[in-house]
């Protein structure tokens, strides 16, 4: 993102605001060179880049999105506050999004948690894997064990 005034490449984010529907982020930026302030609007591009390099639109059904919106609203209402900082909205989106799609979750998480290095992603992926393993364990617990053919003992 370069400065629209002097085209300097280094800009500092002063403030981030998530749109109500969670599909975009408005950022107030300050140019490090000329110190002019400007606003950028970043749209969430739910696109998955496959290992082959091909890109594919992230497919979430209307129902999934409606449910996600409802979960976020419930989570925020449940907190009893009348107003929420953008950061909290982002965090509220993360939990239900994690159930929907790993890649989309990581993309959102990298924005809201302001990842700075590959290590941050690695830690998040690790916790995501742990969460998935727990989910799987729950699933197997609750269902018949006919699906698992591993010998016991
Ligand atoms: Zn500038």
């Amino acid at each position: 993102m370069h400065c629209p005034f002097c085209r300097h490449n280094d800009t500092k984010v002063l403030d981030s605001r998530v749109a109500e529907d969670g599909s975009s982020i408005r950022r107030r930026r300050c140019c490090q060179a000329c110190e002019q302030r400007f606003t950028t609007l970043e749209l969430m591009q739910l696109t998955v880049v496959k290992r082959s390099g091909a890109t594919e639109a992230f497919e979430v059904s209307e129902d999934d999105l409606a449910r996600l919106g409802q979960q976020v609203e419930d989570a925020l209402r449940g907190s009893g506050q009348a107003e929420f900082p953008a950061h909290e909205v982002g965090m509220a989106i993360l939990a239900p999004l994690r159930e929907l799609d790993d890649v989309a979750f990581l993309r959102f998480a990298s924005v809201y948690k302001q990842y700075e290095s590959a290590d941050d992603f690695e830690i998040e992926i690790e916790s995501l894997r742990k969460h998935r393993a727990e989910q799987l364990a729950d699933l197997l617990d609750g269902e018949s064990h006919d699906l698992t053919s591993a010998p016991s003992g």
Side-chain angles (χ1 to χ4, degrees):
M1 175 57 60
H2 58 241
C3 169
F5 302 99
C6 71
R7 304 190 72 78
H8 184 69
N9 270 322
D10 203 7
T11 62
K12 192 178 156 203
V13 176
L14 303 173
D15 182 46
S16 300
R17 255 169 226 284
V18 184
E20 243 176 70
D21 65 359
S23 67
S24 64
I25 300 179
R26 207 173 276 278
R27 289 190 203 281
R28 194 82 188 125
R29 292 174 185 271
C30 177
C31 173
Q32 301 283 63
C34 70
E35 298 192 345
Q36 290 269 18
R37 295 187 173 196
F38 58 100
T39 302
T40 56
L41 184 66
E42 293 171 23
L43 299 177
M44 291 297 177
Q45 282 189 328
L46 295 179
T47 305
V48 179
V49 181
K50 303 233 143 189
R51 240 173 252 176
S52 64
T55 56
E56 195 173 87
F58 167 49
E59 282 180 47
V60 181
S61 73
E62 297 266 319
D63 285 353
D64 284 342
L65 285 178
R67 204 166 56 227
L68 177 66
Q70 192 56 51
Q71 282 174 328
V72 171
E73 209 178 307
D74 289 350
L76 292 176
R77 283 234 176 92
S79 75
Q81 283 173 258
E83 288 182 10
F84 313 97
H87 180 75
E88 279 186 28
V89 178
M91 289 303 171
I93 289 170
L94 284 176
L97 187 62
R98 186 165 72 167
E99 308 305 325
L100 280 180
D101 186 283
D102 290 354
V103 176
F105 165 75
L106 286 169
R107 291 174 67 100
F108 268 77
S110 70
V111 173
Y112 292 117
K113 296 187 181 180
Q114 300 185 323
Y115 290 179
E116 281 168 355
S117 70
D119 287 350
D120 291 334
F121 276 94
E122 218 167 283
I123 291 163
E124 196 67 67
I125 288 167
E126 193 52 49
S127 103
L128 193 61
R129 287 210 178 111
K130 209 176 274 178
H131 178 71
R132 287 275 179 268
E134 280 164 14
Q135 271 187 327
L136 190 64
D138 283 353
L139 200 68
L140 292 176
D141 257 6
E143 288 181 3
S144 96
H145 287 249
D146 292 348
L147 293 173
T148 58
S149 56
S152 60

